């Protein structure tokens, strides 16, 4: 399963002694600001989900959300990778983390170029390369999650 670190933390949790709990002074907050890397990953995942929705609709605007322009959404996904790679928080991450992001950025660049070329052509069906580029991005995300998110440390 995913999130091994979270599962481990919950499975190893033990109740604190009542007296120790009584002495705690805690202010519970309704919400907190997410760390920059988490914010970036949420934005990246949202962009990726929109592109996968478009891919599932044969690279055309889905009827369920006619505001999604395929070329624009792929560009936005690519820009998420580019901006994350430029960020100081990314520069502090492991080389392997940065390599997966860079590989995904390159795949998104190729996806964008291939999608634009197909839309400019008169070909009725999208090229298979579009699905291959999305699969590469998805596979990179999964591999990175297994290494860095699901199994911390």
């Amino acid at each position: 399963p995913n999130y091994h670190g979270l599962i481990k933390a919950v499975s190893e949790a033990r109740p604190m002694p009542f007296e120790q709990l009584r002495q705690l002074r805690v202010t519970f907050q309704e919400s907190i600001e997410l760390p920059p890397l988490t914010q970036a990953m949420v934005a990246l995942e949202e962009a990726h989900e929109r592109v996968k929705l478009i891919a599932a609709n044969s690279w055309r605007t889905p009827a369920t959300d006619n505001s999604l322009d395929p070329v624009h959404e792929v560009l936005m996904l690519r820009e998420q990778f580019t901006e994350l790679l430029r960020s100081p928080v990314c520069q502090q991450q492991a080389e392997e983390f940065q390599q997966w992001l860079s590989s995904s950025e390159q795949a998104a660049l190729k996806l964008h170029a291939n999608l634009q070329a197909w839309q400019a052509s008169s070909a009725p069906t999208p090229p298979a390369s579009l699905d291959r580029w999305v699969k590469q991005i998805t596979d990179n995300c999964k591999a990175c999650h297994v290494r860095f998110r699901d199994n911390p440390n």
Side-chain angles (χ1 to χ4, degrees), residues 60 114-127:
R60 291 171 177 83
N114 282 245
L115 181 58
Q116 283 183 307
W118 171 63
Q119 284 193 342
S121 77
S122 58
T125 58

Short mmCIF file of all heavy atoms in Angstrom, two decimals, residues 60 114-127:
data_model
loop_
_atom_site.label_atom_id
_atom_site.label_comp_id
_atom_site.label_asym_id
_atom_site.label_seq_id
_atom_site.Cartn_x
_atom_site.Cartn_y
_atom_site.Cartn_z
N ARG A 60 -9.22 15.38 -26.47
CA ARG A 60 -10.17 16.45 -26.81
C ARG A 60 -10.77 16.98 -25.51
O ARG A 60 -10.73 16.32 -24.47
CB ARG A 60 -11.26 15.90 -27.72
CG ARG A 60 -10.72 15.55 -29.11
CD ARG A 60 -11.75 14.81 -29.95
NE ARG A 60 -11.26 14.54 -31.29
CZ ARG A 60 -10.48 13.51 -31.61
NH1 ARG A 60 -10.09 12.65 -30.70
NH2 ARG A 60 -10.09 13.34 -32.86
N ASN A 114 3.94 17.49 -29.42
CA ASN A 114 3.20 16.48 -30.21
C ASN A 114 1.71 16.80 -30.27
O ASN A 114 1.08 16.60 -31.30
CB ASN A 114 3.42 15.09 -29.62
CG ASN A 114 4.75 14.48 -29.98
OD1 ASN A 114 4.81 13.47 -30.66
ND2 ASN A 114 5.84 15.08 -29.52
N LEU A 115 1.16 17.28 -29.17
CA LEU A 115 -0.26 17.63 -29.14
C LEU A 115 -0.54 18.81 -30.07
O LEU A 115 -1.50 18.79 -30.84
CB LEU A 115 -0.70 17.95 -27.71
CG LEU A 115 -2.17 18.31 -27.50
CD1 LEU A 115 -3.09 17.19 -27.98
CD2 LEU A 115 -2.43 18.62 -26.02
N GLN A 116 0.31 19.82 -30.02
CA GLN A 116 0.15 20.97 -30.92
C GLN A 116 0.25 20.53 -32.38
O GLN A 116 -0.55 20.98 -33.22
CB GLN A 116 1.21 22.03 -30.63
CG GLN A 116 0.93 22.86 -29.41
CD GLN A 116 1.98 23.94 -29.23
OE1 GLN A 116 3.17 23.69 -29.23
NE2 GLN A 116 1.50 25.16 -29.08
N ALA A 117 1.22 19.68 -32.69
CA ALA A 117 1.40 19.22 -34.07
C ALA A 117 0.18 18.44 -34.54
O ALA A 117 -0.29 18.62 -35.67
CB ALA A 117 2.66 18.36 -34.18
N TRP A 118 -0.35 17.58 -33.67
CA TRP A 118 -1.54 16.81 -34.05
C TRP A 118 -2.73 17.74 -34.29
O TRP A 118 -3.45 17.60 -35.27
CB TRP A 118 -1.88 15.77 -33.00
CG TRP A 118 -3.21 15.12 -33.26
CD1 TRP A 118 -3.54 14.35 -34.33
CD2 TRP A 118 -4.38 15.21 -32.45
NE1 TRP A 118 -4.85 13.95 -34.24
CE2 TRP A 118 -5.39 14.46 -33.10
CE3 TRP A 118 -4.68 15.83 -31.24
CZ2 TRP A 118 -6.68 14.34 -32.57
CZ3 TRP A 118 -5.95 15.70 -30.71
CH2 TRP A 118 -6.93 14.97 -31.38
N GLN A 119 -2.93 18.70 -33.39
CA GLN A 119 -4.07 19.61 -33.55
C GLN A 119 -3.95 20.45 -34.82
O GLN A 119 -4.96 20.80 -35.41
CB GLN A 119 -4.22 20.51 -32.32
CG GLN A 119 -4.83 19.77 -31.14
CD GLN A 119 -5.28 20.70 -30.03
OE1 GLN A 119 -4.88 21.86 -29.96
NE2 GLN A 119 -6.13 20.20 -29.16
N ALA A 120 -2.72 20.75 -35.23
CA ALA A 120 -2.51 21.54 -36.45
C ALA A 120 -2.65 20.68 -37.71
O ALA A 120 -2.81 21.23 -38.80
CB ALA A 120 -1.13 22.19 -36.41
N SER A 121 -2.60 19.38 -37.54
CA SER A 121 -2.71 18.47 -38.70
C SER A 121 -4.17 18.16 -38.98
O SER A 121 -5.07 18.57 -38.24
CB SER A 121 -1.95 17.17 -38.42
OG SER A 121 -2.71 16.34 -37.55
N SER A 122 -4.39 17.41 -40.02
CA SER A 122 -5.76 16.98 -40.33
C SER A 122 -6.01 15.54 -39.91
O SER A 122 -7.02 14.96 -40.26
CB SER A 122 -6.02 17.15 -41.83
OG SER A 122 -5.08 16.39 -42.57
N ALA A 123 -5.07 14.97 -39.15
CA ALA A 123 -5.23 13.58 -38.70
C ALA A 123 -6.43 13.47 -37.76
O ALA A 123 -6.55 14.25 -36.81
CB ALA A 123 -3.96 13.11 -38.00
N PRO A 124 -7.30 12.50 -38.00
CA PRO A 124 -8.50 12.38 -37.16
C PRO A 124 -8.23 11.79 -35.78
O PRO A 124 -8.98 12.07 -34.84
CB PRO A 124 -9.40 11.44 -37.98
CG PRO A 124 -8.47 10.66 -38.83
CD PRO A 124 -7.29 11.55 -39.11
N THR A 125 -7.20 10.97 -35.66
CA THR A 125 -6.92 10.36 -34.36
C THR A 125 -5.58 10.85 -33.82
O THR A 125 -4.63 11.07 -34.58
CB THR A 125 -6.91 8.82 -34.44
OG1 THR A 125 -5.92 8.43 -35.40
CG2 THR A 125 -8.25 8.27 -34.86
N PRO A 126 -5.49 11.00 -32.52
CA PRO A 126 -4.24 11.48 -31.93
C PRO A 126 -3.14 10.43 -32.04
O PRO A 126 -3.41 9.23 -32.04
CB PRO A 126 -4.61 11.74 -30.47
CG PRO A 126 -5.84 10.94 -30.22
CD PRO A 126 -6.54 10.77 -31.53
N PRO A 127 -1.90 10.88 -32.13
CA PRO A 127 -0.80 9.91 -32.20
C PRO A 127 -0.63 9.18 -30.86
O PRO A 127 -0.88 9.73 -29.79
CB PRO A 127 0.42 10.78 -32.52
CG PRO A 127 0.05 12.15 -32.05
CD PRO A 127 -1.44 12.25 -32.18
#
